[in-house]
Amino acid sequence: MTAMTRTWGRMTLAGKVLFTVVPILLVLTLGLIVLVVVAGKPIVDFLAANLWLVRFVVAATAVLLVSVPFAFLIMYMEMKIIALMNLRIGPDRVGPYGSLLSVVHGLKVLMKEDFSPTGADRLVFTLAPIAVFMATIMGMLVLPFAPGLFGADMEIGLLYFFGVTGLSVVGLLMAGWSSFNKYSLLGGLRSAAQVISYEIPLTLSVVGLLLLAGTMSLNTIVLNQAGWFTDWYVFQQPLGALIFFIAATAEANRTPFDLTEADSEIVAGFATEYSGMRFGFFFFAEYVNVFVVSGLIVTLFFGGWNAPFAWPEAWAVHLTIDPGSLGIGLLFALLIVPPVLILALAAPFFLLRSSMPWWQALIIGFVLFNLLIGAAVTGLAYVSWPWVAGLAWFLMKSYAFVFLFVWMRGTLPRVRIDQLMGFAWKWLLPAALLNLFVTAAALVVVHPK
Amino acid sequence: MDAALKRRLAARFGERLTSPIHQRHDETEIRIGPGDVPDVVRAVHDEPEFRFILLADLAGVDTGTSMQVVYHLWSETSADWLRVVADGLSREDPRVPSVTFLWQGAEWMEREAYDMFGITFEGNRDLRRIYMPPDYQSFPLRKDFYLADDAARSPGAGVRHMEQSHTPRSGRTETLVRKTRA
Amino acid sequence: MTATPHVHPPQEVPSDDPRVELDAATGAFEPIPPYPPRTERESEFYTLGDGEMFINMGPQHPSTHGVLRIVLKLDGENVVDLDPVLGYLHRGVEKLCENADYHHSIAYLDPLEYISSLFCEWPGVLAFEKLLDVEVPRRAEYIRVLATELNRILSHSMFIGWMALDLGGLTPILYSLIERDEIAEMLAALTGQRLLFNYLRIGGVNGDLNHEFLSRLGDWMSRATTQIESNLTLLNENEIFVRRMRGLGTLDKETAFRMAVTGPNLRASGVPLDFRRAHPYSVFPELEFDIPTRDEGDCLARYLVRIDEIKQSLRIIDQCLENMPDGPIMAKLPRLLRPRPGRAYAAVEGPRGQYSAYVISDGTDQPFRMRIHDPSFVHLQSVGVLMPGHLIADAMAVMASLDPIMGGVDK
């Protein structure tokens, strides 16, 4: 036994990971083979009869996987953009321009010691980050990323969204309560007060939009906004969009409403006692939440995955490429075109700058070639598949809003708790009601039934 | 040097002063007994001919023979600092009335003087140690303070043997005390 | 005269103290001291009322400006009362000075307030000069004023950054640091150090103006005003910032005098008391500058007074450069200083208020008693008057607006 522990202690981290993961994978694979051989037919029949189950598993897995790069990108944006606003350099070590630093952060929290304080309620303490994380991820399920690319198209999509993301406050309260720390408790209670107050203007601000759209399905709302950018709901509901944006900032606990983790007042709020991966979950959920909120703003008010313009049908490019028609020529083209193009691109650099060695010119040529081909393939994909175009527009718009959140964080100080509550109840709520009233009146005037 | 201030002070507190008024550069110094502190300080604070409204400093002093509490005051009416020295406090049990009734801000300065010299300010609501730990027993700025003695009495005694090895033989402490007549 | 050391009676910690038992049982850290209360105030503070709780802020807290510990008594988020616990940075500077000769003492004064070191040296040097009856050359006086006014700008610009940081703004502190860095480089060219300058000497200054300092200064002065103004637009035109500061932690005139508050904090309460004018020293009578005051006495006033002071300091620097006389920078003095027995007191107007030193000489080459008075100490005390009744968030802002530096508080 001691020999085994000693060996384990001497192993490197990679060794430990391999030593753990490989046997588990082996066992799982063997088990799967056995399962398929023994009970293959009934399982396939069952899945064919219950396709929703397959769809659910696929969607959940996809959302979980996709949230990782999204959050990493937002983390990087936050670090780098705020650094530039502060006239600092920001991350510049890991990856080009430090772009892989968020990945390293992720690895770091995985490797850190994960302890819970004496007196903490261990079970609740462990469940809290999971609750917050789940609430955020579940909100992502109904976001329409592109035509046909969404987790679920529910008829009550928006209601589901508000219901599920509102659950995150339970997780924050659990964290605040179970940490056995007064700073955490204050943070948890602040978040409860804040999130519950801002739920109301948040929900009310979209009711006017729902009257216009006539549906709660996010997919349908996006489809309603197709056409030129003037068809977006933000132009019919400017006040609603503004209220929604402010309330969503508070919902996502972002500056200037980041009172729950105000570091100059209550250290780190509900996350004070958290470390390691438990803290990682909070951290991760916060950034996913920023993306989800931005995505929802885009979906509701800024046309979702629709492009801001709609060219006349006559202008549309219809490409039909059939590589098979080239026959054996395809093989030659694939073999000959890249080197020729690389040489052609490298030649000007080599000829114009005599001091440059040939291999540097070749490297430049190779990079340029890749950029060209990448651009060509992207352009081709954009015109050929609508979901690529939709996804591109959706992400662009969403990250524009993410940038806005980051910008605000770099600029604004924090409001006080009584100012925060006063703003919600005295300004946002009446404004949301006014918006609803005006929208309803206008609808009655314009479309009398 | 503000001769007018000297005259006014002599006229007002003539019999209370324990030594002649001393002036040098921009400072005027009066010395009084510890019991007179509240009256004198209130007088120079309130009376329109003085109006020393700002307590610039409050310091404890151990002259080696007695303890003193020194107040520095500022006023618009004079170009001088007024230095009030409460003189002749016993070194065994130094006591002086507090001036917190006039300047609440003197509270911490008196705490500091208590912490460093062991001077008890009667009337200070919160006279406890301010810099040194609460279980500390010496008064570091007194002239009979000796680090080795202090270490031997501190809760950490025995932790650092270096400090204990230099404890002087009993009876030698007195010769070590530095004294001044200034 | 017996010389038995004066010893405090030892305090016994009773093992059956219920508060100690309670802590051990729950494993929680309650900031209640594990010994019986020493004063009435302490026992009153450490007795909880209905629905109140203690929260231990510091010594490791993001916004306590150093190693300060404050025990807050809270009712919800409202601060009911507070008990600052000092001494985490106590170095016994006064005692060290008593055991060093007069020249060496100056070096101990520097680290008191590490953000305005020159102002900590100055009163000490002035008091020593008074003891020795030294006449300081005029050029040295002008250089002193020039260097200290630069240090004042450095200190005030850091104050602006810290103030914003305690209100949750991330960016202004970095702009302040840029300002600070430029001035620190400048003073490093003059004094040889970036942080603890150790520049003033008894009877003069350590080094004459040099080319690098002057070129850096000229470069910076040509854009200082616009640079500072543009940095401030981020805050002064920020609705959230102004709203949080206005009417917060109001300190009226009478309370300010009662709490012995000086400097910008006093001037923000409407008292034009500046020792450069009220009790002139050095060459300030020859220089033209205004004393900015505000009447509100709140955090915003304290912030704006400091901004106005930066502008006045720029004016003074301009005049110093214009009127800089020629001549020696040091008075003729022996190496070993033995002033006659006597006492001297000197005060200067620093970026936080009145810095003063009180020296007693017994005729030897070491000060018999060196007393240092630091404005941070006094201002931190007035936090106890200003904080109660505010929310935690505001309490931090109030403390930041008084601008205490723990190095000066703990000495």
Side-chain angles (χ1 to χ4, degrees):
Chain A
M1 196 61 211
T2 44
M4 257 184 81
T5 356
R6 212 179 303 129
T7 324
W8 178 255
R10 282 176 191 160
M11 276 176 155
T12 60
L13 184 81
K16 280 178 189 171
V17 170
L18 282 179
F19 197 79
T20 327
V21 169
V22 169
I24 293 175
L25 280 182
L26 271 175
V27 169
L28 280 179
T29 324
L30 277 174
L32 205 64
I33 291 172
V34 169
L35 198 70
V36 169
V37 168
V38 173
K41 187 75 169 55
I43 289 173
V44 171
D45 285 347
F46 174 76
L47 288 181
N50 298 283
L51 256 183
W52 62 270
L53 192 63
V54 182
R55 196 184 161 90
F56 169 77
V57 170
V58 168
T61 317
V63 162
L64 265 176
L65 287 178
V66 144
S67 67
V68 176
F70 284 176
F72 278 173
L73 182 57
I74 298 174
M75 277 180 219
Y76 175 66
M77 275 172 79
E78 179 142 299
M79 287 186 282
K80 196 74 183 177
I81 292 172
I82 290 186
L84 294 177
M85 285 174 180
N86 288 349
L87 308 180
R88 289 185 283 126
I89 297 169
D92 70 335
R93 297 286 129 162
V94 195
Y97 298 99
S99 54
L100 294 179
L101 188 61
S102 26
V103 181
V104 181
H105 272 314
L107 287 177
K108 178 194 74 180
V109 294
L110 270 176
M111 283 190 253
K112 270 188 162 179
E113 187 191 351
D114 189 14
F115 69 89
S116 45
T118 322
D121 188 334
R122 289 283 179 89
L123 182 66
V124 183
F125 188 74
T126 314
L127 286 180
I130 300 173
V132 174
F133 185 69
M134 286 311 293
T136 315
I137 289 289
M138 278 163 79
M140 216 165 153
L141 266 177
V142 286
L143 275 188
F145 285 82
L149 200 65
F150 41 77
D153 180 18
M154 293 185 213
E155 198 40 53
I156 51 153
L158 198 55
L159 207 57
Y160 163 86
F161 185 89
F162 285 143
V164 158
T165 49
L167 280 179
S168 71
V169 69
V170 179
L172 299 185
L173 260 181
M174 282 161 71
W177 172 251
S178 65
S179 292
F180 201 54
N181 178 326
K182 287 164 185 167
Y183 288 112
S184 307
L185 189 59
L186 281 175
L189 290 175
R190 274 183 180 196
S191 74
Q194 176 181 340
V195 172
I196 290 169
S197 302
Y198 275 83
E199 282 284 308
I200 296 159
L202 184 77
T203 317
L204 271 179
S205 67
V206 291
V207 176
L209 181 140
L210 294 182
L211 288 182
L212 290 176
T215 173
M216 277 197 184
S217 153
L218 291 172
N219 204 31
T220 321
I221 290 176
V222 174
L223 287 173
N224 283 354
Q225 302 179 67
W228 285 82
F229 63 89
T230 43
D231 294 326
W232 294 352
Y233 278 133
V234 66
F235 293 104
Q236 295 168 44
Q237 290 280 310
L239 185 60
L242 187 66
I243 297 166
F244 188 83
F245 178 71
I246 294 170
T249 315
E251 278 283 301
N253 291 332
R254 297 287 301 178
T255 317
F257 305 115
D258 59 340
L259 288 110
T260 52
E261 42 195 322
D263 51 352
S264 60
E265 299 154 22
I266 49 171
V267 190
F270 58 85
T272 306
E273 293 289 359
Y274 279 87
S275 64
M277 199 51 211
R278 284 183 213 164
F279 176 73
F281 268 122
F282 277 128
F283 198 62
F284 197 64
E286 185 191 327
Y287 287 104
V288 174
N289 204 5
V290 173
F291 178 80
V292 169
V293 163
S294 309
L296 192 68
I297 293 171
V298 167
T299 304
L300 291 177
F301 292 100
F302 289 87
W305 39 257
N306 288 308
F309 42 74
W311 305 123
E313 192 53 35
W315 294 12
V317 188
H318 291 288
L319 279 181
T320 41
I321 299 174
D322 184 9
S325 63
L326 284 170
I328 195 75
L330 178 69
L331 198 62
F332 281 105
L334 281 181
L335 279 175
I336 291 165
V337 169
V340 168
L341 253 178
I342 290 172
L343 283 176
L345 287 168
F349 290 93
F350 184 62
L351 295 175
L352 288 178
R353 289 196 52 195
S354 53
S355 63
M356 185 178 277
W358 57 270
W359 54 268
Q360 271 187 14
L362 269 186
I363 288 174
I364 293 175
F366 183 73
V367 170
L368 283 178
F369 168 77
N370 277 302
L371 287 177
L372 256 178
I373 293 292
V377 168
T378 315
L380 209 64
Y382 183 88
V383 296
S384 308
W385 296 305
W387 68 265
V388 172
L391 189 64
W393 280 113
F394 178 78
L395 289 182
M396 258 193 276
K397 290 179 195 170
S398 298
Y399 276 99
F401 276 93
V402 170
F403 175 77
L404 202 57
F405 283 125
V406 174
W407 188 4
M408 290 198 325
R409 175 145 194 204
T411 315
L412 295 177
R414 190 177 299 122
V415 299
R416 205 166 55 211
I417 184 99
D418 58 324
Q419 291 172 336
L420 175 97
M421 304 302 264
F423 189 58
W425 294 101
K426 288 184 197 157
W427 294 98
L428 287 186
L429 188 60
L433 286 172
L434 178 75
N435 181 54
L436 174 60
F437 174 75
V438 170
T439 313
L443 269 180
V444 169
V445 172
V446 177
H447 304 289
K449 294 254 166 98
Chain B
M1 280 189 279
D2 191 345
L5 177 68
K6 184 175 179 177
R7 276 200 306 278
R8 289 205 302 267
L9 284 168
R12 177 71 177 80
F13 305 113
E15 72 286 0
R16 295 190 174 189
L17 304 181
T18 56
S19 66
I21 297 175
H22 177 72
Q23 286 191 316
R24 193 184 177 194
H25 295 295
D26 56 350
E27 296 154 26
T28 302
E29 181 181 305
I30 56 171
R31 299 200 175 204
I32 52 174
D36 288 335
V37 167
D39 288 346
V40 172
V41 166
R42 190 188 283 282
V44 294
H45 178 273
D46 288 345
E47 289 173 14
E49 53 173 343
F50 298 117
R51 293 293 296 154
F52 281 91
I53 45 172
L54 185 76
L55 175 68
D57 192 10
L58 189 159
V61 172
D62 178 8
T63 61
T65 49
S66 70
M67 304 289 269
Q68 297 175 340
V69 180
V70 183
Y71 309 84
H72 283 95
L73 309 175
W74 175 87
S75 160
E76 279 179 328
T77 61
S78 169
D80 274 16
W81 297 107
L82 177 63
R83 180 188 301 143
V84 180
V85 181
D87 205 356
L89 281 67
S90 80
R91 298 191 76 231
E92 281 67 47
D93 186 21
R95 281 179 183 277
V96 70
S98 165
V99 294
T100 43
F101 67 92
L102 211 51
W103 292 287
Q104 202 184 334
E107 188 182 306
W108 278 20
M109 298 187 216
E110 290 179 350
R111 276 178 71 183
E112 192 190 338
Y114 166 73
D115 193 359
M116 294 293 153
F117 293 94
I119 300 170
T120 308
F121 290 87
E122 289 159 341
N124 187 321
R125 60 167 188 158
D126 197 18
L127 199 67
R128 51 189 160 124
R129 290 197 176 270
I130 190 164
Y131 289 143
M132 308 307 285
D135 49 5
Y136 195 74
Q137 287 172 17
S138 307
F139 298 106
L141 279 181
R142 289 174 69 113
K143 291 296 173 188
D144 55 10
F145 174 83
Y146 194 72
L147 183 66
D149 271 358
D150 170 54
R153 275 197 301 274
S154 82
V159 180
R160 291 179 64 193
H161 304 285
M162 259 168 62
E163 289 179 352
Q164 283 193 14
S165 62
H166 294 290
T167 310
R169 288 190 303 278
S170 59
R172 276 200 61 202
T173 333
E174 194 177 358
T175 57
L176 293 170
V177 174
R178 205 171 146 194
K179 296 185 177 70
T180 184
R181 308 190 70 79
Chain C
M1 174 61 47
T2 54
T4 41
H6 193 82
V7 177
H8 210 53
Q11 289 167 328
E12 282 175 19
V13 180
S15 60
D16 56 350
D17 189 340
R19 288 168 302 184
V20 181
E21 283 299 310
L22 181 77
D23 295 349
T26 57
F29 175 70
E30 286 290 342
I32 303 171
Y35 41 78
R38 290 159 292 175
T39 60
E40 273 179 36
R41 154 82 186 148
E42 193 179 12
S43 77
E44 173 205 319
F45 179 80
Y46 286 104
T47 312
L48 281 179
D50 193 23
E52 292 173 346
M53 70 166 176
F54 288 123
I55 196 162
N56 190 49
M57 196 168 253
Q60 292 142 341
H61 186 274
S63 65
T64 48
H65 292 245
V67 273
L68 167 66
R69 178 176 155 224
I70 301 182
V71 183
L72 292 172
K73 195 197 256 184
L74 296 181
D75 179 11
E77 281 215 22
N78 288 306
V79 178
V80 178
D81 204 349
L82 69 153
D83 183 25
V85 181
L86 310 182
Y88 288 89
L89 214 55
H90 180 58
R91 291 146 289 172
V93 172
E94 291 176 0
K95 187 77 182 174
L96 289 171
C97 288
E98 286 173 17
N99 291 295
D101 74 25
Y102 283 90
H103 289 299
H104 285 169
S105 303
I106 303 168
Y108 286 127
L109 303 183
D110 262 306
L112 279 172
E113 285 194 0
Y114 30 80
I115 209 74
S116 50
S117 302
L118 285 176
F119 288 101
C120 300
E121 293 171 30
W122 208 358
V125 171
L126 275 179
F128 294 159
E129 282 162 1
K130 272 181 167 182
L131 271 183
L132 292 155
D133 287 315
V134 182
E135 185 79 13
V136 182
R138 274 175 57 77
R139 184 174 173 83
E141 290 283 19
Y142 267 96
I143 296 177
R144 281 181 183 183
V145 173
L146 177 64
T148 47
E149 291 304 316
L150 276 174
N151 198 341
R152 190 190 306 274
I153 299 177
L154 185 155
S155 173
H156 280 345
S157 64
M158 283 314 291
F159 161 81
I160 293 164
W162 282 330
M163 184 81 232
L165 193 67
D166 277 358
L167 290 176
L170 294 174
T171 305
I173 180 80
L174 286 132
Y175 294 171
S176 293
L177 279 168
I178 292 172
E179 210 72 38
R180 180 203 176 169
D181 193 59
E182 286 190 46
I183 300 176
E185 286 292 324
M186 221 181 281
L187 288 174
L190 182 66
T191 67
Q193 283 259 21
R194 275 175 58 95
L195 189 67
L196 308 174
F197 306 113
N198 194 10
Y199 181 55
L200 306 186
R201 292 285 180 273
I202 302 168
V205 290
N206 188 21
D208 208 343
L209 301 180
N210 56 41
H211 177 71
E212 194 193 345
F213 170 73
L214 287 175
S215 63
R216 275 179 186 276
L217 179 62
D219 184 35
W220 178 75
M221 285 292 281
S222 61
R223 60 193 152 81
T225 316
T226 46
Q227 192 171 322
I228 292 167
E229 293 272 326
S230 72
N231 289 353
L232 287 175
T233 46
L234 191 61
L235 293 175
N236 288 354
E237 291 165 20
N238 192 321
E239 189 66 21
I240 297 176
F241 184 72
V242 172
R243 276 203 185 211
R244 279 202 58 181
M245 305 256 285
R246 185 172 288 146
L248 176 65
T250 309
L251 180 69
D252 60 67
K253 235 183 255 191
E254 285 70 37
T255 316
F257 273 118
R258 215 172 67 236
M259 298 306 295
V261 167
T262 50
N265 298 337
L266 182 61
R267 291 194 282 279
S269 302
V271 185
L273 173 58
D274 185 327
F275 284 106
R276 290 175 290 179
R277 283 273 183 264
H279 197 106
Y281 53 96
S282 194
V283 289
F284 282 110
E286 301 170 20
L287 299 170
E288 268 183 33
F289 62 95
D290 302 329
I291 302 170
T293 55
R294 301 260 160 182
D295 291 332
E296 298 86 10
D298 55 3
C299 287
L300 188 65
R302 290 195 274 275
Y303 165 81
L304 292 172
V305 158
R306 283 181 167 88
I307 291 170
D308 292 341
E309 278 192 13
I310 291 181
K311 291 167 190 161
Q312 296 303 325
S313 290
L314 288 172
R315 262 178 83 188
I316 295 175
I317 291 169
D318 261 335
Q319 293 172 44
C320 280
L321 289 172
E322 222 164 84
N323 304 335
M324 181 69 68
D326 285 330
I329 55 160
M330 273 294 282
K332 290 254 182 297
L333 276 177
R335 278 282 175 82
L336 194 63
L337 300 174
R338 288 180 192 278
R340 278 177 300 150
R343 303 184 170 209
Y345 178 79
V348 300
E349 180 72 30
R352 283 174 193 77
Q354 176 227 21
Y355 296 69
S356 67
Y358 172 48
V359 189
I360 302 179
S361 156
D362 61 346
T364 61
D365 58 343
Q366 293 172 337
F368 180 78
R369 166 88 168 104
M370 177 92 188
R371 156 78 186 169
I372 295 148
H373 174 86
D374 195 284
S376 296
F377 182 71
V378 180
H379 294 165
L380 189 66
Q381 181 179 9
S382 58
V383 167
V385 178
L386 294 181
M387 255 195 199
H390 287 301
L391 297 165
I392 296 183
D394 282 348
M396 287 294 101
V398 167
M399 203 176 91
S401 78
L402 292 168
D403 196 15
I405 300 287
M406 288 316 289
V409 175
D410 280 349
K411 281 200 275 209

